[in-house]
Amino acid sequence: MDSHSAPARGARPHPVGDLLRDWRGRRAMSQADLAFEAGISIKHLSFVETGKAVASRDILLQLAAALGLSLRDRNALLEAGGFARQYGERDLAAPEIADARRAIDLLLRRHEPFPAIVTDRQWNVIVANRAATRLMTMLLGPERMQRPLNHMRMFLGPDELRPFVENWPSLAAALLARARHEAMAAPLDLSLQSTWRELLKLPDIAAPQFNEREAPGPLCEVRLRKGDVAVGLIGTVLTLGTPQDVTLQELRVELFMPADEASEAVLTALAAQDA
């Protein structure tokens, strides 16, 4: 059965089948590909997708693993199949994830005097080290730092960091490619989809061309200048290894390294002033 075949006439769409077909299409996988990766027969997968068979919880988890679904999407697939969610979604202050929080805090402290932030799945800044706070305060002022920050909006919006970004067109293109890649990889995440649509409404923003099989580059350069102070940064995004919690899996640790010796000297001098 072809991956894009429609259900039989008169058949009621099956939620699990709809999800599986959509995710297979996004990953350019045929039924044979997915069945092989999941260790089940093509016939059984076909019956699950058309609603002729009900997949067990274990089969759904095997299919989710074969598709490389996020924990949030694995929960969605289980719920569509009538099962309880498998993975928790805890607040960062929860005692169950205290060890992970301590590891993140240590990483941010050890990255000093260079900036580092942690964002959630909607790119909201939830933790920033002192270097990041110093740099953003210098650029935006202390009053702005009292309100919530969103990593994407700070750089893409017209009245945040954008006036201080010398290479804004290339930076904006890189950030939009990343944002769209993450948004399109999570079509069921309505909050993320809403944030993505809000980004597209910002002035001078155009949706980038998107290849679902091509991930954004691992590094991103930003050149900042305010008056006589210039800082070049190379940013990279880290994710936690193999967490079994939705919140932890969706955290993004953004580390920024100085792009040159002059930038390193500026960041070191700012740290000295704050000592």
Side-chain angles (χ1 to χ4, degrees), residues 205-264:
I205 296 298
Q209 296 298 314
F210 182 66
N211 183 343
E212 298 202 37
R213 283 170 280 180
E214 184 176 309
L219 302 176
C220 183
E221 181 177 9
V222 53
R223 292 274 171 184
L224 299 165
R225 178 180 291 275
K226 183 176 183 179
D228 296 331
V229 180
V231 178
L233 299 171
I234 303 294
T236 188
V237 181
L238 303 181
T239 58
L240 302 183
T242 55
Q244 296 299 299
D245 181 272
V246 175
T247 301
L248 290 180
Q249 187 187 62
E250 293 175 341
L251 290 182
R252 299 291 181 264
V253 182
E254 312 230 6
L255 302 177
F256 298 90
M257 297 293 293
D260 47 52
E261 291 183 0
S263 297
E264 181 174 355

Side-chain angles (χ1 to χ4, degrees), residues 136-187:
M136 289 188 288
T137 301
M138 182 194 75
L139 295 169
L140 299 175
E143 182 180 341
R144 175 64 186 90
M145 298 302 294
Q146 302 305 312
R147 304 194 305 276
L149 300 172
N150 182 280
H151 179 59
M152 291 293 175
R153 291 195 189 97
M154 276 196 302
F155 283 105
L156 298 176
D159 54 357
E160 298 264 9
L161 290 176
R162 178 173 168 178
F164 308 109
V165 180
E166 294 186 308
N167 63 326
W168 189 81
S170 61
L171 175 65
L175 290 178
L176 282 171
R178 173 189 155 194
R180 181 168 181 177
H181 181 83
E182 294 180 4
M184 295 302 101

Side-chain angles (χ1 to χ4, degrees), residues 112-115 129-140 145 267-275:
E112 296 277 357
F114 309 134
N129 71 356
R130 293 174 64 186
T133 301
R134 281 193 299 268
L135 184 59
M136 289 188 288
T137 301
M138 182 194 75
L139 295 169
L140 299 175
M145 298 302 294
L267 293 171
T268 302
L270 287 175
Q273 295 173 12
D274 194 37

Side-chain angles (χ1 to χ4, degrees), residues 10-25:
R12 190 168 68 89
H14 192 265
V16 168
D18 293 343
L19 292 176
L20 290 174
R21 281 190 297 273
D22 181 62
W23 279 317
R24 276 201 301 106

